Amino acid sequence: MNAIKIKNKLLKLPIIQGGMGIGISRCRLAGAVAKENGMGVISTAQVGYDAPDFSKDPETANLRILPEQIKKARELSQGNGLIAVNIMAVTRLYEQYVKTACDAGVDVIISGAGLPTALPEYVINPDTAIAPIVSSEKAAKIILKYWDRKYKRTADLIIIEGPKAGGHLGFSFEQLAQAEQPGYDDEIRRIIAVKQSYEEKYRTQIPVFTAGGIFTKEDTAHALSLGADGIQAATRFVATEECDASDAYKKAYIRAKSEDVVIIHSPVGLPGRAIRNDFVRNVEAKSVKITNCFNCLNACNPATAPYCITQALINAVKGDIRNGLIFCGSRVGEIDRICTVKELMAELAV
């Protein structure tokens, strides 16, 4: 794998650790990945979930904790790699999260779970790279065209998230019901082709990273053969010593079998992939009453939402596996051990 220049910074190992919300990928994991010369990603989704004042004022807690997490990740990286944040486009106070991350000196802002059309407006720092997550040629065309016309700017890198990824997904329920997405390799090639005219116009390189079901060197090699410059992996990073999740959460990954993986409805309005447990069974049977709204997502109405995704994810990350939501990728059943980030990076690199 060749080093890649992103803005004016060099990513020596083009492996991105995917952002995983509510405590799964915070400073410890992101810092460890960057230390190995990759891109470590902190998810801003309720990043301050364990702060003493979170339950009373989650927004204030999150915006205070985010710069602290970025600083700690930078320290743990020992000056290597890059530190990024993942901010969902459907996040309430999206603008404030982006600006807070920029002020804290983050290297890259990654944004998906919807189209991050306004992202360039909020990233004033010229040293901060911006990266949309797309799942289709159509989405790539919309974002790059919009950014070009309105902001006279293009993406600094693009992440293509395929149908095997975990968490919120940019596919229909019908598409995800299929074991494989026929022709998705061709979709990746088409997305890569979309960015070429913008590279020429802005006289820059726009590296592409593919995500979803990346588990081995062979998967990485396949991604590169399609024209990608690097890969993003998330699920495998949960089963590392440095992951910020509880041991119980990590063990749930190790115990999971392929038949335990299901597609659920998220209050965000997107389908999501998760491990079937008691919580998921309860949600499948009936709605789980929301007793406290954390005011986190634009698309969520507590009066009609089937459950509170924040509370469900907090339960899981703290180790209450039975009553928590455990997002995962489609290949979680292949994980059989805990390893170090250093070991995992070596397993993924080619």
Side-chain angles (χ1 to χ4, degrees), residues 66-84:
L66 180 56
E68 297 176 6
Q69 287 287 314
I70 294 171
K71 180 181 179 181
K72 290 177 182 177
R74 186 83 67 193
E75 292 170 351
L76 291 168
S77 75
Q78 299 181 6
N80 296 332
L82 300 180
I83 301 297

Side-chain angles (χ1 to χ4, degrees), residues 184-243:
Y184 197 73
D185 282 358
D186 290 334
E187 188 75 9
I188 290 173
R189 294 188 184 98
R190 287 191 290 270
I191 294 171
I192 291 173
V194 169
K195 59 110 175 184
Q196 292 174 353
S197 63
Y198 296 95
E199 289 180 317
E200 294 170 3
K201 179 174 183 177
Y202 288 94
R203 297 180 182 180
T204 188
Q205 296 295 312
I206 306 175
V208 170
F209 294 74
T210 62
I214 305 291
F215 260 61
T216 65
K217 288 179 184 291
E218 290 73 23
D219 298 324
T220 300
H222 178 69
L224 299 183
S225 74
L226 298 176
D229 301 282
I231 59 98
Q232 175 180 285
T235 296
R236 284 212 64 188
F237 279 100
V238 171
T240 60
E241 293 179 5
E242 296 90 344
C243 179

Side-chain angles (χ1 to χ4, degrees), residues 170-189:
F171 298 88
S172 69
F173 283 90
E174 291 73 23
Q175 289 172 322
L176 294 172
Q178 302 177 49
E180 298 288 339
Q181 268 294 94
Y184 197 73
D185 282 358
D186 290 334
E187 188 75 9
I188 290 173
R189 294 188 184 98

Side-chain angles (χ1 to χ4, degrees), residues 336-350:
D336 59 5
R337 75 191 194 283
I338 302 290
C339 66
T340 66
V341 163
K342 184 180 182 67
E343 291 168 338
L344 177 52
M345 299 284 276
E347 290 181 21
L348 292 173
V350 296

Side-chain angles (χ1 to χ4, degrees), residues 28-253:
R28 189 163 178 255
L29 178 56
V33 172
K35 183 181 177 182
E36 300 304 322
N37 293 307
M39 186 187 297
V41 182
I42 296 168
S43 169
T44 65
Q46 308 296 29
V47 66
Y49 78 96
D50 55 355
D53 57 336
F54 175 77
S55 60
K56 293 183 178 180
D57 191 354
E59 293 167 347
T60 298
N62 288 332
L63 292 170
R64 183 185 71 250
I65 296 298
L66 180 56
E68 297 176 6
Q69 287 287 314
I70 294 171
K71 180 181 179 181
K72 290 177 182 177
R74 186 83 67 193
E75 292 170 351
L76 291 168
S77 75
Q78 299 181 6
N80 296 332
L82 300 180
I83 301 297
V85 295
N86 182 299
I87 309 176
M88 293 190 296
V90 294
T91 302
R92 286 179 181 165
L93 302 185
Y94 181 73
E95 177 180 354
Q96 289 93 321
Y97 279 101
V98 172
K99 290 182 176 179
T100 297
C102 288
D103 289 344
V106 77
D107 296 311
V108 183
I109 292 180
I110 298 169
S111 194
L115 297 178
T117 51
L119 181 58
E121 180 178 344
Y122 308 139
V123 180
I124 300 173
N125 187 338
D127 294 326
T128 304
I130 56 175
I133 297 175
V134 300
S135 296
S136 67
E137 177 190 17
K138 180 181 179 181
K141 284 182 175 179
I142 290 172
I143 292 173
L144 294 182
K145 184 177 181 180
Y146 188 86
W147 286 3
D148 174 42
R149 288 188 172 183
K150 184 163 185 177
Y151 302 111
K152 310 302 179 188
R153 183 172 180 179
T154 194
D156 297 301
L157 62 149
I158 296 171
I159 298 170
I160 303 174
E161 191 170 275
K164 295 182 180 180
H168 295 113
L169 301 165
F171 298 88
S172 69
F173 283 90
E174 291 73 23
Q175 289 172 322
L176 294 172
Q178 302 177 49
E180 298 288 339
Q181 268 294 94
Y184 197 73
D185 282 358
D186 290 334
E187 188 75 9
I188 290 173
R189 294 188 184 98
R190 287 191 290 270
I191 294 171
I192 291 173
V194 169
K195 59 110 175 184
Q196 292 174 353
S197 63
Y198 296 95
E199 289 180 317
E200 294 170 3
K201 179 174 183 177
Y202 288 94
R203 297 180 182 180
T204 188
Q205 296 295 312
I206 306 175
V208 170
F209 294 74
T210 62
I214 305 291
F215 260 61
T216 65
K217 288 179 184 291
E218 290 73 23
D219 298 324
T220 300
H222 178 69
L224 299 183
S225 74
L226 298 176
D229 301 282
I231 59 98
Q232 175 180 285
T235 296
R236 284 212 64 188
F237 279 100
V238 171
T240 60
E241 293 179 5
E242 296 90 344
C243 179
D244 296 272
S246 66
D247 287 343
Y249 193 101
K250 298 175 188 181
K251 289 177 182 177
Y253 266 49

